[in-house]
Amino acid sequence: MSTTTALPTYTKKDFESGVDPRWCPGCGDFSIINQVQKLLPSVGVARENIVFISGIGCSSRFPYYMNNYGMHTLHGRAPSFASGLKVSRPELQVWLITGDGDALAIGGNHFIHAMRRNMDIKVMMFNNRIYGLTKGQVSPTSELGKKTKTTPFGSADYPFNPPALALGAGATFVARSVDIEGAHMGEVLKAAADHRGSTYVEIFQNCPVFNDGAYTFMTDKAVKADAQLRMVDGKPLLFGKDLKKGIRFNPQSAELEVVTLGVNGVTEKDVLVHNPRREDPTIAFMLANLSAKPGFPTPIGIFRNVEQPTCDELNWQQINAAKQKKGDVSLRKFLAGSDTWTVK
Amino acid sequence: MSTQTTRPVEQVDSVTIRFVGDSGDGMQLVGTELTKASAQAGNDLATFPDFPAEIRAPAGSLAGVSGYQVHFGGRAVHTPGDAPDVLVAMNPAALKTNLADLRPGGMLIVNSGAFTESNLEKAAYKSNPLDDAALKKSYRVVSVDMNKLTETALTGSGLSSKEVARCKNYFALGMMYWLYGRPVDMQVESIQKKFAKKPELAKANVTVFKAGHAFGETCELFTGQYMVPAAKLKPGLYRNVTGNGAAALGIAAVAKLSGKQCFLGSYPITPATEILQDASYFKDMGVVTYQAEDEIAGVGSAIGASFGGAIAWTTTSGPGLALKSEMIGLAVITELPLVIINVQRGGPSTGMPTKTEQADLLFALFGRHGEAPLPVIAADSPGDCFYTAIEAARTAVKYMTPVLMLTDGFIGFGSEPFRVPEDGELKPIEVTYQTKPNHDGNTYMPYKRDAKLVRPWAVPGTPGLEHRVGGLEKDSLSGMVSYDGMNHEKMVKTRAQKVANIVADVPDAEVTGNQTGDLLLVSWGGTKGSVDGATERLLAEGKKVGHVHLRWLNPLPKNLGAVLKGFKKVLVPEVNDGQLAFYLRAKFPGVDPLQFNRINGKALKISELSAKALEILG
Ligand SMILES: Cc1ncc(C[n+]2csc(CCOP(=O)(O)OP(=O)(O)O)c2C)c(N)n1
Ligand code: SF4
Ligand SMILES: [Mg+2]
């Protein structure tokens, strides 16, 4: 096993497996893998100690294209493999690549449990709001009314709000970025790499084949300024052209509201200052829910980033304590236990 | 023996005692205590607890009856006993649900104090069965008001009446200690240890236990005492183990014998839960346990850990095995070592969770999508679960394959004496990880196989061997995704051949009794004890019979076909509707096994099986 004392200097190329990605031309997944491969030389972990685990879906082909250890597992089940590997080998950096169907439909149960355990795994969910690999069925993040191959008259069920779900499940790092916002995604992923604990990054990913333009409502140049809220740690939550709009916490209604600087005496001081380090996830939850409200922008950036002892770490504290307490017991002594008798 | 009684001491070969009472009556406790004492006296033994699926069925109800059966003897004891010789019934419901099992002429010890009107009503008795003259004709009835005698023994103890009532199981135990000449001091010590934190209860239970013992000695209800001589057991240090306990010990032993981490990812399910529970204490031995959110995640976590280089395990029972099926297919196609322990219970669906069955055999052999063969091995007794777990793990890492180990509720919950292996008696388990490139141009080919068709195991953290595995069909060398049809066919055949190659490690089937003859009995898994017992009886009657036990179900022993053909008839007794018989018919055309099937949630009775064999022999 390698030691991490002298890390080689890596370049992006060191993380390319040489297998050509098989995504459709224009697929948002390309820009995501590009950012990950750009990031990894700087995370301070040896290439052989990084593992990519994925479920099933277009997004989940990801590990094949990375020159790390990788596992392409079963639909929805990636969190279970990642959790087992991390508990078994806590020194590894474990990334989990998943899609909206993979993580939230078939894998919803595994996903929430990985989050609540604060397992030190980094989940990147490529949210294209559609089933890509199976060619265009409704997903748990498809909007109400969405017409897909299995909902020809429009989807009749309400979607998940993924960051809100992750927060509710107890994730200690929750963030969102967008496939075409390369620089932003790079920063978010760097913070995700540095975080220890259950890490969830939702990436808005365009599927040009089965759900093209899913995010133009907040990526189109014409609307972007008003439709995107970039959350920055320690900075007021401002958006809009010339950052003239802000998010204010209204103590009377206990709600977040949109205010305009200079109108009705509103100044920057009235605007909520973003703080992803609050232990209490309530404000983060309110922010995550903004995107569902008409007239509100969609937040991107880090909702929550708090440190708590991780599941793998707590397990190993117990294991090490037990080993220290009992010392090296011979197999025979162990097997004998405390209640024995001798047959002559 | 410390008694001044003049009553005779009769020597008996073996005896089967069943304690039955309400779930809260402490029957499991007194059963295990008598077991321990018998073991220490040198008897061979086997036990079986029988408890309701409901944790707290109403007190006194038929559904709430809980029992514990122990069979000890001066000769080899194969099973917990067909029918009890002694039934200790603590209330009417217990009597009602168990009396039919008591052997004709057997001893019935009843707690008459519990035969109140309301208890009789709860047990749906119209009149008090103890007043029935027919009962006394069929059995030796010893009617003792244990409620009252316990109360009397504890007058002035300051305990509440509820606490007093809880002590009566020790009265019953005291009587049994007198009856079978077990040392009083040892039990006193054991009570003191058990109730160390509650000295007032320790004192009360000792008092009641001694009162029960004295009662046996002084009252005239028993005509004499019994002596069961020590059995000829292999010398050594012994302990008592249940099958589930032994499986957990096996997991720890594998960690120690391999020097590698054993990772157990699991989810609680009756009757397999105790393996996970026990293993959770073995952290210092190199066992990492993980209780996942469901069975799928349990096996998933294990496969993840296996990718990371751990010797991985998952434990479950029928419904859980069904959930794990897709995952096991992934372990087959990725060729990662894994041991799945399936403790069978009555199915399908929730079925009979606390009752035994052998009905997962075909599911274990074939229950996966696609062509997904894997080795299947079955334990045959509680203690054997230890050795089977080790053998399963050894096979998994040696051949890079998931291995399915079958046990069942009967041996999982049952217990027997277990000889603790000497240090060095168990062979180390060799595990080698690939650390260097294995192919031209300094590359690593994860599916480049050795002569046995086994692929290398390179684990994360090894520089230069970074590679990807997954559920998609892979190129037969590089492991890269391949949609080539002929490559797929090659991989399907190769995986099958690799599993078939394990036959080299499967010992030849050994026949006990006649090597050829009129009738061969074929057992697998938990029926071994019953078939051993029946074979002994048939041989004693001079019948030309043999017995072969199958520990390996896949691959089957090389010589099995020849063994089967050496007999005029073959009989396969099973606790299912004929699954091994079905399998053998397919594997050995021309051999058409006769079946003996019982699917009543219990182990096979030696007497019934012997009768069936005699009927076939004509
Ligand atoms: C057990 C199982 N059920 C169904 C499938 C079929 N399936 C493969 S991917 C997929 C949905 C993928 O959608 P998503 O997770 O959003 O990934 P995307 O392709 O959009 O990246 C489905 C239903 C499967 N592979 N396995
Ligand atoms: S179907 Fe959509 S998500 Fe899948 S590869 Fe093509 S563009 Fe990407
Ligand atoms: Mg999708």
Side-chain angles (χ1 to χ4, degrees), chain B residues 525-588:
Chain B
T527 50
K528 177 171 185 289
S530 308
V531 180
D532 273 336
T535 308
E536 255 174 35
R537 282 196 199 175
L538 295 165
L539 288 170
E541 288 185 34
K543 303 292 176 193
K544 288 230 160 6
V545 298
H547 170 204
V548 68
H549 176 75
L550 298 179
R551 178 180 180 72
W552 279 95
L553 283 317
N554 189 38
L556 287 165
K558 295 188 282 305
N559 65 336
L560 185 60
V563 167
L564 294 170
K565 285 175 185 143
F567 288 82
K568 286 189 191 132
K569 285 177 181 164
V570 173
L571 174 65
V572 182
E574 292 179 86
V575 188
N576 62 34
D577 212 11
Q579 300 197 6
L580 179 66
F582 177 90
Y583 182 50
L584 293 179
R585 270 178 215 121
K587 284 277 181 184
F588 303 101

Side-chain angles (χ1 to χ4, degrees), chain A residues 23-24 27 58 128 132 205 207-210:
Chain A
W23 294 306
C24 311
C27 177
C58 296
N128 52 12
Q205 174 240 327
C207 167
V209 179
F210 297 110

Side-chain angles (χ1 to χ4, degrees), chain B residues 58-88:
Chain B
S61 70
L62 295 168
V65 174
S66 162
Y68 191 97
Q69 183 162 316
V70 51
H71 178 197
F72 48 88
R75 50 166 176 73
V77 165
H78 302 299
T79 70
D82 271 11
D85 303 302
V86 181
L87 179 68
V88 182

Side-chain angles (χ1 to χ4, degrees), chain A residues 28-188:
Chain A
D29 293 358
F30 285 103
S31 63
I32 306 174
I33 200 166
N34 187 41
Q35 286 306 322
V36 173
Q37 286 167 337
K38 259 165 86 174
L39 167 75
L40 290 186
S42 69
V43 298
V45 180
R47 183 173 68 182
E48 64 273 16
N49 285 335
I50 298 176
V51 183
F52 281 88
I53 294 187
S54 65
I56 298 291
C58 296
S59 35
S60 288
R61 294 296 171 92
F62 195 99
Y64 288 118
Y65 312 135
M66 299 296 301
N67 193 12
N68 297 93
Y69 283 91
M71 251 191 136
H72 179 224
T73 67
L74 299 185
H75 195 23
R77 318 294 177 199
S80 67
F81 299 90
S83 298
L85 179 61
K86 185 67 193 181
V87 170
S88 176
R89 299 274 312 273
E91 76 279 17
L92 299 174
Q93 185 176 80
V94 180
W95 293 80
L96 191 159
I97 309 296
T98 181
D100 41 312
D102 193 60
L104 304 182
I106 190 166
N109 193 37
H110 307 305
F111 172 71
I112 55 174
H113 285 280
M115 294 299 108
R116 62 110 180 149
R117 288 189 175 108
N118 199 28
M119 194 64 80
D120 184 20
I121 55 182
K122 305 176 194 309
V123 178
M124 292 174 65
M125 190 188 91
F126 301 3
N127 186 1
N128 52 12
R129 299 190 173 173
I130 196 85
Y131 283 10
L133 191 70
T134 48
K135 304 195 176 83
Q137 301 79 23
V138 71
S139 108
T141 57
S142 302
E143 320 82 87
L144 187 68
K146 174 102 192 162
K147 288 195 169 138
T148 72
K149 284 186 185 160
T150 48
T151 54
F153 307 109
S155 157
D157 47 66
Y158 294 87
F160 270 131
N161 177 331
L165 178 68
L167 287 163
T172 50
F173 183 102
V174 178
R176 174 190 282 148
S177 193
V178 189
D179 55 3
I180 56 171
E181 300 281 354
H184 183 266
M185 198 202 313
E187 281 170 34
V188 165

Side-chain angles (χ1 to χ4, degrees), chain B residues 324-339:
Chain B
K324 290 176 199 288
S325 177
E326 186 193 12
M327 282 276 183
I328 298 172
L330 180 71
V332 168
I333 200 169
T334 52
E335 298 181 56
L336 283 167
L338 168 74
V339 181

